[in-house]
Amino acid sequence: MRRSLDFLYDAAAWLAALAMIGVLVMVLASVLGRLLNFNLPGTDAYAGYCMAAAGFLALAHTLKKNEHIRVSLIIGRLTGGARRGLEMWALTAAVFLSGLFAWFSIRLVWLSRVYNDMSTANDATPLWIPQLSMAIGTAVLFIAFVDEWVLELRGERSHADESEEALHNE
């Protein structure tokens, strides 16, 4: 099961990387179009779609690598049961909120498909297509938070120590 979950998080990260390449391609096409006097309609919109896809698809992988910004002012001072209780409370809230986010993202894709919502930009893309990356990204994030919750419940979740956390300050 662990290998399957790690594969899921890595696959979403690779899709996010491909979306970032898509942003690059759209920006380069737009720049080249201006330099060479041709127009590719929709490049701005597609760059935006790719940027949103990159952000949402990378969420779970970033969580699993402990790269999300986290304020540890209180939890860093706690030990033992108090720390574990606060971790469980925070993870329970995260599971609930990410579940809602995933549910409503998936619902948005479905409603956009049912009502045939189209982009108002000159690309006229059916909106359910770019919204799909948001739904997938939030669903994988929900799975990652459930995974973290179960690991914390079993006592198998790794906690970054203070010296490691200092390396992430930017």
Side-chain angles (χ1 to χ4, degrees):
M1 182 64 140
R2 171 62 33 215
R3 289 177 59 190
S4 297
L5 289 172
D6 289 342
F7 176 79
L8 176 66
Y9 308 140
D10 289 343
W14 277 101
L15 288 174
L18 288 175
M20 286 300 294
I21 293 170
V23 172
L24 174 68
V25 168
M26 291 299 111
V27 170
L28 286 176
S30 181
V31 169
L32 286 175
R34 287 187 191 107
L35 289 174
L36 302 175
N37 294 322
F38 68 88
N39 183 26
L40 290 176
T43 55
D44 293 341
Y46 286 117
Y49 300 152
C50 288
M51 182 61 75
F56 281 104
L57 291 169
L59 286 172
H61 190 266
T62 306
L63 172 72
K64 296 304 283 185
K65 296 293 182 186
N66 290 325
E67 295 294 331
H68 279 282
I69 296 172
R70 180 175 174 169
V71 179
S72 58
L73 203 60
I74 297 171
I75 206 160
R77 299 182 195 283
L78 298 175
T79 58
R83 180 181 179 121
R84 188 161 189 271
L86 189 55
E87 288 278 3
M88 285 303 297
W89 179 85
L91 286 169
T92 300
V95 166
F96 177 72
L97 292 173
S98 64
L100 283 176
F101 197 12
W103 168 260
F104 284 107
S105 296
I106 293 167
R107 186 171 180 257
L108 178 65
V109 171
W110 181 72
L111 289 175
S112 292
R113 179 79 172 107
V114 166
Y115 294 119
N116 198 27
D117 282 345
M118 302 294 272
S119 170
T120 57
N122 61 359
D123 63 319
T125 301
L127 285 178
W128 69 270
I129 297 170
Q131 290 169 348
L132 199 56
S133 65
M134 179 177 68
I136 292 169
T138 57
V140 176
L141 180 65
F142 170 69
I143 292 167
F145 271 123
V146 170
D147 183 18
E148 288 291 304
W149 189 89
V150 169
L151 289 173
E152 182 67 31
L153 187 66
R154 291 180 175 175
E156 298 172 2
R157 188 164 171 257
S158 66
H159 297 282
D161 57 350
E162 303 304 322
S163 61
E164 185 179 325
E165 189 174 322
L167 296 175
H168 297 288
N169 292 336
E170 297 175 14

